[in-house]
Amino acid sequence: MNEAEGIDDLTLQAFLDGELDRTRAAEVEAWLNAQPAHKARLREWRAHDQVLRAVFDPILTEPAPQNIRAAAHMAASRFFAAPRQMLLRAIAASLLLAFGATAGWLARGHFAVDAGRGGLTATIATRAMDAHMVYAADLRHPIEVPATEHEHLNAWLSRRVQQHIAAPDLASAGFSLLGGRLLADGGKPAALFMYEGPNGKRLTVLVAQNIGHRVADPKLSTRDDLKAMSWTEGPLMVAVTSDLGSDRLRGIGEIVSTSLKGKG
Amino acid sequence: MRDKLVGEIPYLRRFARGLARDRSRADDLVQECVERALTREHLYDPSRNLRTWLFTILRNLYLNKIRDERARPVVSEAKFDDLLAAPPGGSQFDVVLARQVLTAMEALSVEHREVLLLVAVEGLSYRETAEIIGTPTGTVMSRLARAREQLRIQIEGGPRSQIRRVK
């Protein structure tokens, strides 16, 4: 319709929304003066926008309902009223220097979550899911040491976690090892093994020290699409995380458990 | 982030109302959004605008919710009615026009309604809107134009608008 001037509906709309630079806006304005029909249409758009604002703006000054204020307030007080967690954050911050910025960033996530509730496996599951979200989504650098350096990977992580650990072989479940990385888990070194399955689906196995040799049976935790299977394995705490179905994940959990028992 | 979050609640409530229409459903969404933002604070990039981050969370929660509802026998569609129950005072405000605009908004699909809310009501740029809904800017522009034209045609009614429609 207005090809000659290059002024179409989208340009007209961008003019209305203040998305044009000054020169272009002036051109549109001049053009509109000779186009009463388009000018009228623009006026209607503007009028409808104004009505929408008039209807929705009063919501801004309404007092927020109690449940929303409670949600914001509760989380804030949980955060500030926990000096122990502040201390853990300080430890995490110092580990940051040793383990690099990404591990520290992850550690922040650990302490944003209330680690005191929900039992042992619930907390490791939370941390495992945090780790999975951060690292499994990283297409370029999901790992520090690749599976091709298998021996070095196992030796290095075993030394840091102070337990004999070997990356479980999940080939029978269709997952191949990409490699692993060291994590700061609750202020202690932990190992994260990353696997890739069909269609590039990622699965992570978090292995941490089980301080005090507590005992916890396998437990399934979910967060949106993610599921974590977590349990204790003698001196180790283990969590397997992926967005697989719970039966599949449980099956893989059994393979991991058998494998860690054999080597640990 | 936590300090600033409280200041974002009014904007979250306004956007949620535009999406969910019903007041209590909207406020439930905001509550969930606040909780989720706090547990995922580590995923927030401080160089990013807090509001667009929160709006992204809120929108995803809403889309998940309507997807779940579609899987079950559907409840009747929520209306904007209560927004008109107490129209803002002043002679400038045309209640009849407001009712027409809201009725037309109810008829829009979610993807058209959300861009209109983000640009026209929330005053976000095309780029910010594109970031929230996860599409290129061009998609935002075409959906927005479509939404505005649908609104205009429904309010104006009649063939006059049809004739004048460009494209």
Side-chain angles (χ1 to χ4, degrees), chain A residues 22-37:
Chain A
R22 201 174 296 176
T23 319
R24 188 66 175 147
E27 281 171 22
V28 173
E29 205 161 2
W31 176 81
L32 273 171
N33 284 330
Q35 301 283 341

Side-chain angles (χ1 to χ4, degrees), chain A residues 165-247:
Chain A
I165 305 173
D169 183 353
L170 301 180
S172 61
F175 281 86
S176 58
L177 182 70
L178 288 177
R181 62 162 58 241
L182 187 65
L183 288 186
D185 180 76
K188 292 278 181 192
L192 184 74
F193 297 108
M194 177 91 53
Y195 296 81
E196 196 162 66
N199 308 324
K201 196 176 269 293
R202 298 262 165 103
L203 179 139
T204 51
V205 177
L206 177 72
V207 184
Q209 266 191 73
N210 178 12
I211 296 157
H213 288 235
R214 289 166 292 184
V215 178
D217 290 332
K219 181 175 178 293
L220 188 72
S221 312
T222 56
R223 183 200 291 167
D224 301 330
D225 296 336
L226 268 192
K227 291 189 187 67
M229 191 83 202
S230 54
W231 69 96
T232 58
E233 195 73 69
L236 301 172
M237 286 197 291
V238 190
V240 180
T241 309
S242 189
D243 58 353
L244 296 168
S246 38
D247 287 345

Side-chain angles (χ1 to χ4, degrees), chain A residues 49-67:
Chain A
D49 281 9
Q50 281 167 354
V51 169
L52 284 174
R53 279 193 292 273
V55 170
F56 284 99
D57 281 353
I59 297 169
L60 292 181
T61 51
E62 284 173 11
Q66 182 56 36
N67 60 341

